[in-house]
Amino acid sequence: MIIFALCLAGVWIADFLPIALPANVIAMLLLFILLVFRAVKPVHIETTADFLLKNMAFFFLPATVGVMEHFDLLKSSLLPLLVICTFTTLLTFLATAYTVKGVTALQNRLEKAKERVVLTGKEEAKCRN
Amino acid sequence: MQELISSPMFGLCLSLGAYLAGSWICVRFRLTLVNPMLLAAVLVIGFLKLTNISIEDYRTGADFIGMFLGPATVALAFSIYSQFEVLKKNLLPVLAGCTVGAATSIFSVWGLCRLFGLSSEMTVSLLPKSVTTPIAMSVSEQLGGIAPITVAAVVITGIIGSMLAPLLLRFVKIGNPVAVGLGMGASAHAMGTAKALEIGELEGAMSGLAIGITGFVTVILAMFL
């Protein structure tokens, strides 16, 4: 019930929001905020959320079947579509993975530098003593 | 006969039956590359073509199923929340990785579509293809794309990503489970996550997190297109 009510709230908010944000995504954000601030507890929505998440693939079936209306369009650009999907997917994978790796390495280096500052500080204090 | 077909129950039963058959085939033949939904879609399309039943008749009932997509998208918040601790621990790498990933995906798709001379309608349908289907559909519709094409592209991307990314890992050493997981989730959404779970638990959790965050970043980026 909470989830469905939030969906409705999402549609309502999307209506008067000046930016074009999809209603479902607004509702998703709302639920996340409610969960973080413990206004909604996981027990309240667990059963429904699990049901929805587990059967998500099934809910897409009608949308996928809609592809049959666009067969001509798909057929005429099948090869570019496959090339685009393959290339961009791998590129995205590498870009994400290397960014994460880089940021983690940077964080580690900063932390070590901090530790060193603390350590040298302590040693100086020792020397003074 | 026409009465039977135009009843909402027809679309519902056909969808359920096809999905059950798809699931059964996947389990029976241990198919990992195609998922039950894809098989079910092929079955439904084949059935409608063979019997010459119009897609409108199918939609009378099938639209009820599609209605659940909204709530299912909202439920994604719950799955991000269950990874909240992991998110807090790796906040900066996760946000940076997903943002770069989403941007890379959008710009590379846009560039290649231009290169191949695809129509703008087709281009916006493909733009959100690396994010999870419910968000991809919302973004595509918002930009004036064709939702079914987007769904097809998302599924193809998932299959390609979950198939080729582990292969790619053999050639490039990333050696950081957080990075691998986030990469899989950001590029190949739920199907990448399923594969990431096979590689390791941390990879899987990270990948699941990446689905939600990349989706959200994509929505934000799409607003400026």
Side-chain angles (χ1 to χ4, degrees):
Chain A
M1 169 61 202
I2 293 175
I3 292 182
F4 288 81
L6 279 173
C7 273
L8 201 61
V11 174
W12 182 62
I13 294 176
D15 234 21
F16 66 76
L17 220 58
I19 43 175
L21 214 56
N24 292 335
V25 178
I26 295 175
M28 178 182 139
L29 201 64
L30 273 178
L31 178 61
F32 188 72
I33 293 170
L34 289 175
L35 278 168
V36 169
F37 287 103
R38 311 218 171 253
V40 171
K41 293 208 175 72
V43 265
H44 294 155
I45 53 162
E46 221 160 19
T47 335
T48 320
D50 271 343
F51 168 78
L52 290 169
L53 290 171
K54 273 201 191 111
N55 297 298
M56 179 113 81
F58 178 63
F59 305 143
F60 289 117
L61 184 54
T64 316
V65 171
V67 142
M68 69 185 275
E69 286 180 309
H70 305 280
F71 262 151
D72 295 329
L73 185 60
L74 211 58
K75 226 186 278 169
S76 62
S77 44
L78 190 64
L79 190 69
L81 200 129
L82 285 179
V83 173
I84 290 171
C85 282
T86 311
F87 181 74
T88 59
T89 304
L90 293 180
L91 191 68
T92 307
F93 171 71
L94 289 177
T96 311
Y98 277 110
T99 307
V100 175
K101 210 178 160 181
V103 171
T104 320
L106 207 68
Q107 270 183 327
N108 286 344
R109 206 181 300 162
L110 278 178
E111 240 161 66
K112 263 187 201 150
K114 245 188 243 164
E115 268 169 31
R116 216 174 291 145
V117 171
V118 174
L119 276 180
T120 43
K122 271 183 191 162
E123 271 163 23
E124 265 172 32
K126 256 184 204 166
C127 287
R128 249 178 257 150
N129 286 340
Chain B
M1 195 58 194
Q2 185 53 43
E3 245 169 59
L4 191 74
I5 293 167
S6 50
S7 146
M9 279 306 146
F10 167 71
L12 279 175
C13 286
L14 182 60
S15 305
L16 276 171
Y19 193 71
L20 284 177
S23 308
W24 182 81
I25 294 173
C26 280
V27 174
R28 176 72 181 75
F29 297 100
R30 292 195 192 148
L31 301 176
T32 46
L33 281 186
V34 283
N35 59 3
M37 195 275 282
L38 203 61
L39 276 177
V42 173
L43 288 175
V44 172
I45 293 176
F47 184 83
L48 294 179
K49 288 253 163 170
L50 274 179
T51 52
N52 258 329
I53 295 171
S54 77
I55 189 162
E56 275 73 32
D57 282 329
Y58 170 69
R59 283 225 174 100
T60 328
D63 278 348
F64 288 107
I65 304 168
M67 243 170 46
F68 280 92
L69 267 184
T73 316
V74 180
L76 281 177
F78 178 69
S79 76
I80 301 183
Y81 179 75
S82 28
Q83 299 291 342
F84 199 45
E85 288 307 311
V86 191
L87 172 64
K88 265 199 282 189
K89 221 184 280 168
N90 300 285
L91 190 64
L92 202 62
V94 170
L95 288 183
C98 290
T99 308
V100 172
T104 309
S105 176
I106 288 181
F107 286 116
S108 60
V109 171
W110 183 78
L112 279 181
C113 283
R114 269 301 181 78
L115 196 69
F116 283 115
L118 294 184
S119 69
S120 64
E121 210 182 17
M122 193 75 178
T123 307
V124 292
S125 308
L126 294 185
L127 277 186
K129 68 162 195 44
S130 266
V131 305
T132 185
T133 324
I135 297 181
M137 261 175 80
S138 307
V139 171
S140 168
E141 276 164 3
Q142 196 105 48
L143 297 174
I146 310 159
I149 300 272
T150 305
V151 178
V154 169
V155 174
I156 294 172
T157 299
I159 294 173
I160 292 174
S162 56
M163 208 165 62
L164 294 186
L167 217 66
L168 195 67
L169 276 178
R170 281 191 210 163
F171 297 104
V172 287
K173 286 269 168 284
I174 292 181
N176 178 339
V178 175
V180 172
L182 287 171
M184 301 277 290
S187 60
H189 50 90
M191 288 191 205
T193 303
K195 202 79 202 164
L197 271 169
E198 284 174 29
I199 303 177
E201 205 175 312
L202 184 57
E203 281 91 340
M206 279 301 164
S207 185
L209 205 52
I211 297 179
I213 314 263
T214 313
F216 193 69
V217 174
T218 304
V219 170
I220 305 282
L221 287 176
M223 287 191 319
F224 298 104
L225 289 176

